[in-house]
Amino acid sequence: MLDNAVDLFMPMRKDTMDYCAELLRTGMSKATIASLAAGTAIGWSSPMMDRLMGITGSYEPLERPLTEDESSWVSSLMALGALPGTLIGGLLIDKIGRRNSFILLGGIPAIIGWITMLLAHNPGTLYAGRFLIGVSAGAANTLAPVYIAEVSSASERGALCSMPQLMNTFGVMVQYTVGPYVSYHVLAGIDLIFPIVFVIGFFLIPESPYYLLAKSKRKDAEKSLVWFRGGGRMKNDEPPAVDVSHELNRMAQAIDESGIKDSSLLDSFKDVFASKGNRRAFLVTAGLLFAQQFSGIMVVLFNAETILRGSGDSKMTLSPSEAAMVVGAVQILASLVETMLADRAGRRPLLMLSCILSSVSLIALGVHAYLDVNQHEKALSISWLPTASVVLFIITYILGLGPLPWAVLGEVFPSSCKSGASILSGCFCGLLAFVTSVTFLPLSLAIACLSLLGAGAAMGWTSPVIDHLQGKVGSYRPLYRPLTTEEASWVSSLMTLGAMLGPLCGGICVDRIGRKYTLLLMGGVPAVIGWILVLLARNAQMLYAARFLTGIATGSASTIGPAYIAEVSSPSVRGTLASLPQLMMALGLWLQYLVGPYSSYYGLGGMNLAISILFLSSFSFMPESPYFLIAAGKKEQAQGSLSWLRGRSRGNNAVNTNVEDGKELERITAAVTESGISGYSLRDCFRELFSSPGNRRAFMIMSVVMLTQQFCGINAVTFNAETIFRGSNDKDPFLGPSESAIVLGAVQFSFSFLETFLADKTGRRPLLLFSTMLAAISLSVLGVHSYLNVHQHQTAVKVDWLPMVCLILFEISFSIGIGPLSWAVLGELFPSSSKSAAGILCGSIAWFSGFVVTRTYQPIVQAADAYTAYWFYAVCSLGGFTFIFIFLPETKRKTLEHIQKDLEGHKQNV
């Protein structure tokens, strides 16, 4: 048996040496430096995060230590930055070439990011630096395998394509080994060297011969291939030092057979979902990536020292830093073994073994953490278990779940759609990595956000479905007959009518039975029943009932969800997390645009039902808001809730934990007492709302702002995105309706995140003014194009891209201003004693206005064409701009007393 093992690994040793020689000889080592730099970005937070939080050593260079939530964002924003890096890299790779894309995205953002990190003195600067570094990491992990696969020889290609994963691992090891023993600035300076060396070195090597052949540059492709095969620089007037003609012909034949020369990236995206086989392949790949990221790998890599420090005590066999080094060394060894083992053992057995052993190791780590938190004496006797569990987890991950999903992706898709599948998979993976890393600490927030994800799904559901149900596109099944225009209008609008009841009923229940049970009762149960009715629907009436119920859940989630998130989040990041509800609703909306066009009616409805069931089942185990418990006189329960929410350990730091919880509980008690809400009924809140001139004026302002928010036409666009794109140019559109809607959803999601950081920088009033003016302009131009198209003017055909550009600008304007900031300003204009009543009334006004807009959109289009609707919404946006300019005061960094004086003084002046 030992002889067999030696026979297996001796060829691996020889192969490894050959691969390394090939890597160094061809200059591909420069490409893998970008992967090494990406690994340093992944591993950086492990040795640094506890320092920056003030847990170990100094928190320099920051002005104050990071909070737990801020550290979570610093860790996770790198994963979020990888999303645009992957997407833009995939878009540019066939436009400007592999080499130029690699330099532009894989190197330059990392250089700027590490310089930003060196200059950082506050969390905001760290956020920016980590996001930029993430852009480069995402681009490097997408582009490096492509470039290496195209320039390596056929005999070495399989193993060389695993080198980016190995260099990634080596970059993590550098951080684990060097980080604990150098200062913040020294480690960031070392990390800055790698992207600089990459950019300088990559300028000196040629473009991929595959890309040059695809661009019909055969002579340049020959020069490139000669260089990569060791023939040096080839001059125009001399024969090549190495004969590459046969290999060049094979490349040209492969390019011609794949059809990639004549296809665009858009064609590649379409091909991913064109056949049943490709759709199944994408589903399998997405499932593998889901398992890869939700195994918790990013959490372990980002927080290795923190996990090992928190899982043991002073009697640990190794210190956290030393244990992290062991983990890094194991990663490298496992990567080397995987490089040779994958082709010998097969993908399927390795993936199955990886999943099982990962589960076992994580369960063991969880058992030790449970014993440690509950001060069980067995935790001390097995202090070696956390390190052993993490080492086993890393080995099993590297041998299967880490690299093999990407290998499977390259094998299950044909060449015609491989680039589109890679980009979509990379973006999906980056999003999952961000979600797992940012929710490592605030689990309750992540589960609460599922209700808002479901609300966004309900809002976006009609866009990919309504034309099918009307029989305009495909089949109108499962209905007995297609919907009429009138019925389709009701199906779209009844959700917003149901949502109007959410704030009313939720407002009555929220102070009686609590935030948690109100959110379950009003935000979960109606959604589950509503989506079940959608799946069972056979006629318009069943759809009416279903949409009304999902509307109740949407209105409740959008009102109570933000209140719960604000009350359970720590004070240091409450302002940042205030925009999280808008972000999650935008994500739910985007999911409908992304999945709806390519799945069946039942598939989309089933996915939305699963989101609601997951929320209902998991949120049942979350604690109640400590604010509500204090107001209800349940101080002991509030103490337990707060300890759970902050993730306090009951182990070695129990005394410090109780002190921290006690201080925050005192602040909450003081806030509840000062606001007087514990002695207020809802009726008192309504009386207080109209008792003073400042409150009355604030309510008048907010009513008009809410009317502007809805009568800008956002729900008409959101509910009918595909219909709008299909009607703007149905003969030869710039992008198909489904693809345009996907782009629109991506823009809304991205700019919802950007608004989180803009609101406190620029102020509410300037953003609201900019938002309403940009909305008016974009809708006016959209109306002009619609008018020209309806009247068959030739100009409309020449600018067929204009509707998409206009709607993108419109979504940007809504996402950074009038959408989320309307609710933010509402929370700042009113005192606590009348905030509940103001929220209920303004929320009901907003949803009823949304019902009017969605109910009248299709009748207006039928009677007077779409341009009439767009111009009407533009006039409403312009009216909102004028009103905000005259009446709305700035609320940024002002006290409530100051805002109230502004409101009452303004009344006297007017």
Side-chain angles (χ1 to χ4, degrees), residues 171-496:
V172 174
M173 178 64 178
V174 168
Q175 304 300 286
Y176 290 174
T177 306
V178 178
Y181 306 107
V182 299
S183 68
Y184 172 93
H185 288 105
V186 170
L187 186 61
I190 292 171
D191 296 335
L192 175 60
I193 292 171
F194 294 118
I196 291 176
V197 170
F198 162 71
V199 170
I200 294 173
F202 218 63
F203 268 115
L204 304 177
I205 62 176
E207 179 57 88
S208 158
Y210 267 89
Y211 171 75
L212 294 169
L213 282 174
K215 295 297 181 182
S216 302
K217 298 179 180 180
R218 187 178 177 87
K219 189 64 178 177
D220 291 337
E222 184 182 20
K223 292 179 183 179
S224 171
L225 194 57
V226 166
W227 190 92
F228 281 113
R229 297 299 173 261
R233 297 285 178 183
M234 176 183 163
K235 296 182 180 178
N236 291 326
D237 55 350
E238 67 179 22
V242 178
D243 184 15
V244 295
S245 57
H246 292 296
E247 188 175 359
L248 206 63
N249 289 334
R250 285 198 300 271
M251 286 184 182
Q253 183 179 358
I255 290 171
D256 291 336
E257 289 176 357
S258 67
I260 60 175
K261 185 184 292 188
D262 301 319
S263 64
S264 63
L265 185 62
L266 178 60
D267 295 326
S268 180
F269 280 123
K270 290 179 178 178
D271 286 344
V272 172
F273 302 101
S275 68
K276 186 176 181 180
N278 285 352
R279 290 194 295 271
R280 185 176 179 82
F282 184 73
L283 184 64
V284 169
T285 304
L288 290 175
L289 291 175
F290 185 88
Q292 179 196 72
Q293 292 304 319
F294 273 85
S295 69
I297 184 62
M298 298 306 285
V299 169
V300 173
L301 293 180
F302 285 174
N303 304 278
E305 283 197 31
T306 304
I307 291 171
L308 294 169
R309 182 172 288 108
S311 298
D313 69 347
S314 58
K315 296 183 180 180
M316 279 184 69
T317 309
L318 294 174
S319 71
S321 299
E322 292 167 341
M325 288 182 211
V326 172
V327 170
V330 167
Q331 274 189 278
I332 293 179
L333 293 174
S335 296
L336 285 169
V337 173
E338 186 278 331
T339 302
M340 310 305 158
L341 202 60
D343 288 329
R344 289 171 168 79
R347 276 57 162 161
R348 181 181 164 92
L350 278 180
L351 282 167
M352 293 175 68
L353 180 66
S354 178
C355 289
I356 292 172
L357 291 182
S358 294
S359 300
V360 171
S361 59
L362 290 170
I363 289 171
L365 183 62
V367 167
H368 184 276
Y370 177 82
L371 294 174
D372 183 50
V373 166
N374 291 279
Q375 296 181 293
H376 201 288
E377 59 183 15
K378 285 189 177 180
L380 300 179
S381 62
I382 52 172
S383 60
W384 50 266
L385 186 59
T387 302
S389 299
V390 172
V391 167
L392 178 60
F393 170 69
I394 291 294
I395 291 173
T396 57
Y397 178 84
I398 294 294
L399 291 180
L401 278 175
L404 291 184
W406 301 105
V408 170
L409 185 149
E411 294 168 341
V412 297
F413 288 100
S415 300
S416 60
C417 64
K418 196 168 289 184
S419 59
S422 298
I423 292 172
L424 290 175
S425 300
C427 291
F428 182 64
C429 182
L431 181 63
L432 292 178
F434 167 70
V435 170
T436 54
S437 54
V438 80
T439 57
F440 174 52
L441 293 172
L443 177 64
S444 58
L445 301 186
I447 294 175
C449 282
L450 286 174
S451 66
L452 296 155
L453 187 73
M459 293 174 70
W461 177 79
T462 52
S463 178
V465 168
I466 202 70
D467 279 355
H468 287 272
L469 296 179
Q470 289 185 267
K472 295 179 180 179
V473 180
S475 171
Y476 53 82
R477 302 294 178 187
L479 303 185
Y480 293 131
R481 61 169 179 79
L483 297 177
T484 64
T485 301
E486 186 78 5
E487 288 169 337
S489 178
W490 278 107
V491 168
S492 293
S493 59
L494 273 171
M495 193 223 78
T496 49

Side-chain angles (χ1 to χ4, degrees), residues 38 116 195 529 562 644 691:
T116 304
I529 299 172
W644 194 99
S691 65

